[in-house]
Structures are given as C-alpha cells and as structure tokens.
Amino acid sequence: MANTYTQIYIQIVFAVKGRENLISKNNRDELQKFMTGIITNRGQKLLAIYCMPDHTHVLVGLKPNIAISDLIRDIKSGSSKFINDQKWIRGKFNWQEGFGAFSYSKSQLNNVINYILNQEEHHHKKTFKEEYIEFLEKFEIEYDEKYLFEFLE
C-alpha cells in the first residue's frame, strides 16, 4: 500500500482450551519459534512472545494489510496443528475461542516487552484470570464474565 504509514502496536493474549497447563517449558522455545514464523510469514513484526503453560502473550507491530482476527486465527490454528503433529500431549491440543488484543503507544513498548518476557515471575504474584480481568478493566473494555476464557478454579 503506497503512501500508507502506520504505527500500530498490539499485545495479543489467548489461552489453552480449558486453561490446562499443556505447554511445557521443554517445548516453549520451539513453539515460540514456530509462532514467530507464522507472524513473520504474514508480514507482521514480532516484538515479544512468551508462552506460559496455559496462555500466550504476543506483541506485534501490526501492518494494516491484515485483520487482527485473521492473524490470531493463523497463529492459533498453525500452532495447534504443530503441537498435535509433534505429539507433545496425549489427546488433541486446542486453543480456546477468542482472544484479548490491547493497543499501546511506542513510548510504552519497553515496559510491555519486559512485562511479556517476565511472565513467569509475574505469575508468582497474580493468576492469569486476575491478569486478564485487570487488562480488561485497565483498557475500559466492557465484558460479560460468561464469555471470558474458561477459568479453572
């Protein structure tokens, strides 16, 4: 798109179906590399990624040639197939439906990148449910709890 100039930074958060801890530390790097390839192949710029056992955070510099929902669909479907082909778990791996997408300014990027890359430390203090609801409230996003991710109590 000639003469199109944008600066769009989006943090994407999505969870493992049933919020099960299915992404092992042993497989994290390989999964993150695979997801990076999907993002790069779709012409987007990956700034940070971190897969926790039950959810994933991705920060991208989004170009306007793709809808966020299309990018996330590709990441989730491609990585699900990859995990299943690798047979990392018994049964079938799936991501839950839906996602969170939160926008940031350039001046916030270092803090967001550090936040994503330090997920393990962060989750010693706060659960994923607490974290996710905090995002929704911070960004003043109206939500209905029955449509949030399936949270295991």
Side-chain angles (χ1 to χ4, degrees), residues 2-153:
N3 298 320
T4 301
Y5 307 99
T6 63
Q7 187 179 75
I8 306 168
Y9 300 108
I10 305 290
Q11 179 184 189
I12 303 161
V13 182
F14 51 93
V16 173
K17 187 168 184 159
R19 285 285 328 292
E20 293 186 81
N21 292 320
L22 298 179
I23 301 170
S24 74
K25 286 183 181 185
N26 295 339
N27 299 327
R28 177 186 300 137
D29 286 342
E30 192 172 352
L31 178 58
Q32 290 175 173
K33 286 176 186 172
F34 187 82
M35 289 178 169
T36 299
I38 293 170
I39 293 163
T40 303
N41 288 337
R42 291 303 308 244
Q44 307 307 305
K45 182 177 182 181
L46 178 71
L47 300 170
I49 186 169
Y50 200 87
C51 295
M52 290 293 293
D54 64 348
H55 71 282
T56 293
H57 289 259
V58 179
L59 178 63
V60 294
L62 192 68
K63 295 179 183 175
N65 64 343
I66 188 171
I68 295 169
S69 57
D70 290 343
L71 178 63
I72 297 166
R73 176 201 63 214
D74 294 348
I75 295 168
K76 289 168 72 173
S77 65
S79 61
S80 291
K81 182 177 180 340
F82 177 73
I83 291 168
N84 288 319
D85 289 349
Q86 298 298 313
K87 300 186 184 324
W88 285 345
I89 66 165
R90 281 190 219 142
K92 187 171 179 177
F93 179 89
N94 285 297
W95 297 104
Q96 284 190 13
E97 286 186 37
F99 59 89
F102 309 97
S103 61
Y104 293 91
S105 67
K106 185 171 176 64
S107 65
Q108 297 170 300
L109 290 184
N110 283 338
N111 288 339
V112 178
I113 290 168
N114 287 332
Y115 174 81
I116 290 172
L117 297 180
N118 290 298
Q119 279 293 292
E120 283 192 54
E121 180 182 315
H122 175 75
H123 283 292
H124 288 299
K125 303 171 196 161
K126 198 176 288 188
T127 67
F128 174 58
K129 181 177 183 178
E130 292 167 335
E131 171 190 57
Y132 195 72
I133 290 173
E134 188 176 283
F135 275 124
L136 295 173
E137 291 173 354
K138 174 182 169 186
F139 284 87
E140 298 179 6
I141 298 171
E142 291 184 29
Y143 64 94
D144 186 332
E145 285 206 35
K146 69 181 178 183
Y147 297 116
L148 286 181
F149 297 129
E150 299 167 14
F151 291 104
L152 302 177
E153 299 298 330

